[in-house]
Amino acid sequence: MTTSPQALRALEWIDAGALRIIDQRELPGRLSRVDLASADDVIDAIRTLAVRGANSIGSAGAFGFALGVRDGEEPRAVAARVAAARPTAVALREGVAQAAAAVSEGGSWRDAVRVGTALLEQDVEDCARIGEAGRIELAGATSILTHCNTGILATAGIGTALGVVYAKAAAGEDVHVYSTETRPLRQGLRLTVWELQQAEIPVTALVDSAAAALLHSGAVDAVVVGADRIAANGDTANKVGTFSVALAARDAGVPFYVAAPLSAVDVTAADGGAIPIELRGAEEVLREDPGSAPLAAADTDVWNPSFDVTPARLIDGIITERGVAHPDLGLGLAALARPA
Ligand code: MRU
């Protein structure tokens, strides 16, 4: 593998007092880094998907909170602002909450930075364990379809669903990835394809609407996707389009897996109906790129949910850092979460 997470580093804290990120809006054309030096910078980067992926926005949220407190903002106010930047990934809410707890327990903004750093380290470890658990679970699966981007760019480590792919490649196993385009912002085509090419892992891109035909062709051994939030019963919110892939996979008899850390499980959400789904602007659907001519009348009414919920009944397993939960997913997740 030519690219390691250490070499790419989607996000890192720098001693000058800023969060340095790879600006994912610029990929694959340009690998550029920006320093986020205030809570507002972090909020803007999260909202515009300069930094993205559930794991990464969780850590970024802790650093954003720290920067706000450093700059004199009232802790509860900055915590609420940062946590609201994107509603679906439970990691953002939790990252901010953990950083806020460190400050409310008498700590300074530097303690909140330490929480962010610990979250990055935990993420690296969780991804490695998820990758290995997935590699064992999916032994013999060489052709994997994934949706959106869940790899080095979305985490501090090797990724979740893509972590399984990197673990297979690192073990010398044959692996070929089919990456959906992932409309409207094309995280699959722009980011997953790019990072797998950096790692010299074979990848084939397809438009989202070709996934059902590909799954029915027999070319795919397993689907593996990430998660932004998993309800207590296993219903899983992930990038919009995941639900369609799961329906097609079930119909084609292809196993469908979610890969995510146990911290993505929100036990306060009994089922997927309790997961808040982010709605984004019409511009993302109407324009190929910001600033390009609209593909339909600029005032066209658009429904643009960023995520959808795949019901637990369509999921064959949830791959976590503590092993794989199989149906009944609610019971399986609860057993994995129990202290050892
Ligand atoms: O809108 P995005 O690009 O942040 O959506 C990302 C996803 O849906 C990922 O699958 C999920 O966050 C897991 S990333 C390890």
Side-chain angles (χ1 to χ4, degrees):
M1 168 167 171
T2 52
T3 309
S4 69
Q6 289 68 31
L8 262 186
R9 281 198 192 210
L11 68 173
E12 65 182 312
W13 179 255
I14 56 166
D15 290 339
L19 179 63
R20 179 165 292 169
I21 60 157
I22 292 177
D23 187 344
Q24 302 195 27
R25 296 167 299 191
E26 302 278 338
L27 286 170
R30 214 157 62 96
L31 177 58
S32 70
R33 290 185 166 78
V34 264
D35 291 347
L36 310 175
S38 69
D40 284 332
D41 284 355
V42 173
I43 290 168
D44 185 61
I46 292 173
R47 280 205 185 119
T48 60
L49 277 59
V51 59
R52 49 150 296 283
N55 304 35
S56 288
I57 65 174
S59 317
F63 291 117
F65 170 82
L67 289 167
V69 174
R70 180 199 66 185
D71 295 342
E73 196 171 340
E74 200 276 314
R76 271 174 310 185
V78 67
R81 281 191 327 114
V82 177
R86 293 190 81 188
T88 301
V90 74
L92 176 57
R93 191 186 76 187
E94 286 303 309
V96 171
Q98 285 183 31
V103 169
S104 71
E105 284 155 14
S108 73
W109 70 277
R110 289 191 184 281
D111 293 291
V113 169
R114 276 190 266 280
V115 169
T117 305
L119 286 170
L120 290 178
E121 287 165 4
Q122 186 66 53
D123 193 14
V124 171
E125 201 176 302
D126 286 348
C127 287
R129 289 180 193 272
I130 288 167
E132 189 54 15
R135 185 184 76 77
I136 294 163
E137 175 77 10
L138 295 174
T142 56
S143 175
I144 290 178
L145 182 137
T146 194
H147 187 65
C148 198
N149 174 267
T150 60
I152 289 167
L153 292 168
T155 65
I158 60 169
T160 54
L162 282 193
V164 176
V165 170
Y166 287 123
K168 279 177 166 286
E173 295 174 21
D174 281 345
V175 61
H176 180 117
V177 175
Y178 285 98
S179 171
T180 59
E181 180 184 21
T182 320
R183 280 284 288 156
L185 293 177
R186 300 183 174 85
Q187 290 94 327
L189 186 60
R190 293 189 302 108
L191 307 177
T192 296
V193 168
W194 180 81
E195 70 163 84
L196 291 175
Q197 286 170 342
Q198 302 307 299
E200 296 177 354
I201 292 174
V203 55
T204 303
L206 59 145
V207 296
D208 297 338
S209 45
L214 181 73
L215 287 160
H216 269 263
S217 76
V220 175
D221 297 322
V223 177
V224 191
V225 299
D228 283 79
R229 191 183 302 223
I230 302 171
N233 72 341
D235 290 353
T236 295
N238 190 52
K239 176 55 53 185
V240 68
T242 304
F243 183 18
S244 310
V245 173
L247 284 165
R250 177 57 55 90
D251 195 62
V254 175
F256 180 95
Y257 284 85
V258 169
L262 282 168
S263 56
V265 179
D266 178 1
V267 290
T268 70
D271 59 33
I275 299 177
I277 298 296
E278 176 184 7
L279 287 174
R280 295 182 63 88
E283 290 290 290
E284 292 178 351
V285 174
L286 291 176
R287 295 180 198 270
E288 294 269 3
D289 292 304
S292 64
L295 299 163
D299 61 356
T300 300
D301 187 41
V302 171
W303 183 54
N304 183 23
S306 195
F307 301 94
D308 59 24
V309 175
T310 299
R313 66 184 158 77
L314 296 177
I315 300 171
D316 293 292
I318 299 184
I319 303 163
T320 79
E321 71 279 20
R322 287 186 165 204
V324 183
H326 295 105
D328 180 307
L329 292 176
L331 293 177
L333 289 170
L336 290 174
R338 245 172 250 135

